[in-house]
Amino acid sequence: MDIKEEKHLSTALQISNFKTALKGFEKLLEHVAAQKRDEKAGLFIQKEDAIDYDKFYAAVEELFGPEVKNQDVKCFYRKLCNNPDVSVDWCEIFGYFSSEEDTLASQMDEDNLVFLVSRKQRVVISGSRRRDVIKCIVKIPQFDLLVTASQKGLITVFNSQMRVQTSTTVKDTSWITGCDYLSQLKRIVATTERTIIVWDYKAQGSGQENYFVIKPVDHCLLCVCVVSLPDQVCRDDILLGDDGGFVNKFTVNSDDFGLKQAKAKKKLQNQVLDSKNFKSVKRKLHNDWVMKIRYIAALSCFGSCSLDSVHSLVLESLKRLEDNLPVREFSMPRGANTFCYCTKANVIVTGGKVILQTYGGFIGIKRTQRFQLGGCSRSHE
């Protein structure tokens, strides 16, 4: 037998084996789909031949070999679980589609309730505590950095390759509720339920563990954001939302931290600053917790949302915090947990306590309210 005949037989055998694998894969899908239909109908009875994800992955790997990757199979399995009748193809378990159109259609399919990520990387943060969760992630575009703050007080700075640059642990009895970047002071601000933390992440050596604590505060702080204005020099305004429905504005200057830090350069303990020494204003805009607050530079105003059904979303200039004049506000049933502004579409999208769906290019909320800014139109879904 010559070399050509051997290659031909080898190719024919591979094709035959692959066709056999496809038939086995089809039977596996039929079994899983039938099981998921019974589960959704409440008719499923646990049996020895019941297939969970681990068994599904082992069966797929046995059919197609080690070329399949866990994350691709997991996305495929999740898609099948969400809708057992959805159209699927064997190539999806390898993380690719037959054409770009198929990829887009699959990602935008209403049956996919999660983003399909073809590649992901697990980042291990040293010093993190067990049962801790990330409460806030902030991107710093000008330095290509990423800041994360965990619930139990670990603040970490990553570079663009997701490598840890520096970190500190806030030793506070209260949980971290949010963080942001002070663009003028070049520092990181974080909030716990009872304090405001200002940390100089660029400090070297033991100085990395030192930060300033601003307290007391009147109510439990739930969210924070920084107002970025081009005309401000060596000064940042911080917006805070609390559980009393108040929106607070704190003004911090370089003198509040730089000079004091220079005098206490050799001190190892963290410094506590009296909140009364800072310029601040506040106004009650909601009758429930302020869930999110953001300054929208493109509109020259801030936005805050609440679970309040009457004063659910407020969009107003910073000047309104210093007076009692009426503010632009919108009401929606059961309030709003979050909101987002799209510069290109010039719309605000809000979300409440209901299921997710794709809305106007966003992954939004089933009960979504869309406000056309600069006009009088307002539509409800």
Side-chain angles (χ1 to χ4, degrees):
M1 184 182 295
D2 58 15
I3 297 177
K4 289 185 178 180
E5 290 180 349
E6 288 182 0
K7 288 184 177 180
H8 179 74
L9 288 175
S10 176
T11 303
L13 182 61
Q14 289 178 3
I15 294 174
S16 176
N17 290 340
F18 187 71
K19 287 182 178 180
T20 303
L22 285 181
K23 290 181 180 179
F25 184 64
E26 290 174 359
K27 290 181 180 180
L28 176 65
L29 293 187
E30 291 175 0
H31 190 124
V32 174
Q35 176 181 310
K36 295 304 175 183
R37 291 191 195 98
D38 290 343
E39 288 179 1
K40 288 179 178 292
L43 303 176
F44 177 71
I45 300 176
Q46 188 68 32
K47 301 178 182 179
E48 292 183 1
D49 61 344
I51 298 178
D52 58 9
Y53 173 71
D54 292 333
K55 290 183 179 179
F56 182 80
Y57 178 74
V60 170
E61 191 175 35
E62 184 178 353
L63 289 169
F64 296 104
E67 288 79 10
V68 295
K69 296 186 178 180
N70 189 294
Q71 63 265 30
D72 298 325
V73 179
K74 187 172 292 186
C75 288
F76 182 91
Y77 181 77
R78 187 183 290 116
K79 177 180 178 180
L80 187 62
C81 291
N82 289 333
N83 187 353
D85 300 314
V86 70
S87 176
V88 294
D89 193 87
W90 64 268
C91 60
E92 294 181 45
I93 65 169
F94 292 95
Y96 60 84
F97 303 83
S98 58
S99 68
E100 294 182 359
E101 290 75 13
D102 291 340
T103 304
L104 181 60
S106 176
Q107 291 177 346
M108 298 302 292
D109 195 328
E110 64 180 2
D111 297 319
N112 292 324
L113 302 184
V114 296
F115 288 109
L116 299 181
V117 181
S118 60
R119 296 292 180 269
K120 59 184 177 181
Q121 177 185 0
R122 181 181 294 273
V123 179
V124 179
I125 306 176
S126 60
S128 60
R129 305 177 186 178
R130 293 185 62 185
R131 299 184 183 277
D132 202 358
V133 295
I134 297 295
K135 289 292 293 183
C136 185
I137 301 177
V138 176
K139 177 72 174 177
I140 309 177
Q142 57 267 46
F143 301 116
D144 203 12
L145 297 175
L146 192 72
V147 180
T148 66
S150 75
Q151 191 176 61
K152 294 185 179 180
L154 179 63
I155 305 175
T156 309
V157 179
F158 297 88
N159 63 12
S160 57
Q161 286 75 43
M162 292 305 296
R163 295 177 181 173
V164 176
Q165 298 297 287
T166 182
S167 65
T168 190
T169 301
V170 176
K171 298 177 176 61
D172 197 298
T173 57
S174 300
W175 281 350
I176 289 277
T177 57
C179 70
D180 207 345
Y181 180 71
L182 298 170
S183 57
Q184 293 294 327
L185 301 188
K186 304 295 187 295
R187 301 188 182 193
I188 293 171
V189 59
T191 52
T192 72
E193 295 169 330
R194 293 297 177 187
T195 59
I196 302 171
I197 307 296
V198 177
W199 174 45
D200 183 5
Y201 69 97
K202 301 183 301 300
Q204 302 296 319
S206 61
Q208 293 179 350
E209 300 298 324
N210 298 334
Y211 49 83
F212 292 91
V213 180
I214 302 174
K215 63 179 184 179
V217 293
D218 295 332
H219 296 275
C220 177
L221 301 178
L222 300 177
C223 50
V224 60
C225 80
V226 174
V227 179
S228 298
L229 298 177
D231 58 338
Q232 290 185 170
V233 179
C234 300
R235 175 173 67 89
D236 281 298
D237 289 330
I238 306 171
L239 295 180
L240 308 160
D242 60 38
D243 64 349
F246 288 89
V247 172
N248 307 260
K249 185 182 76 168
F250 265 78
T251 300
V252 292
N253 297 280
S254 58
D255 292 344
D256 297 325
F257 309 105
L259 295 179
K260 293 174 183 175
Q261 188 181 38
K263 293 178 181 179
K265 192 173 183 179
K266 297 182 180 180
K267 292 185 179 181
L268 298 179
Q269 72 272 19
N270 301 312
Q271 297 186 62
V272 177
L273 305 178
D274 192 343
S275 60
K276 295 180 182 179
N277 295 331
F278 293 83
K279 180 182 178 181
S280 64
V281 294
K282 69 176 182 178
R283 180 175 176 181
K284 187 174 177 65
L285 297 175
H286 306 277
N287 292 327
D288 208 326
W289 291 8
V290 181
M291 303 302 295
K292 181 175 181 178
I293 188 166
R294 281 290 177 268
Y295 182 76
I296 307 174
L299 303 177
S300 300
C301 73
F302 73 91
S304 62
C305 67
S306 169
L307 300 177
D308 184 358
S309 298
V310 179
H311 316 284
S312 307
L313 176 68
V314 172
L315 294 172
E316 196 51 85
S317 66
L318 294 173
K319 294 181 180 180
R320 294 286 78 80
L321 295 177
E322 303 177 12
D323 55 40
N324 293 317
L325 297 177
V327 296
R328 290 185 297 173
E329 59 183 15
F330 308 92
S331 62
M332 54 197 76
R334 293 186 291 173
N337 286 336
T338 187
F339 67 93
C340 180
Y341 171 68
C342 176
T343 306
K344 187 174 181 179
N346 195 34
V347 295
I348 291 282
V349 178
T350 65
K353 294 183 178 178
V354 280
I355 64 174
L356 295 172
Q357 75 164 10
T358 305
Y359 176 79
F362 294 90
I363 295 299
I365 304 297
K366 186 73 174 178
R367 177 179 57 79
T368 304
Q369 298 201 13
R370 171 174 172 164
F371 303 100
Q372 183 65 43
L373 305 178
C376 299
S377 62
R378 182 174 66 179
S379 61
H380 301 258
E381 287 196 3

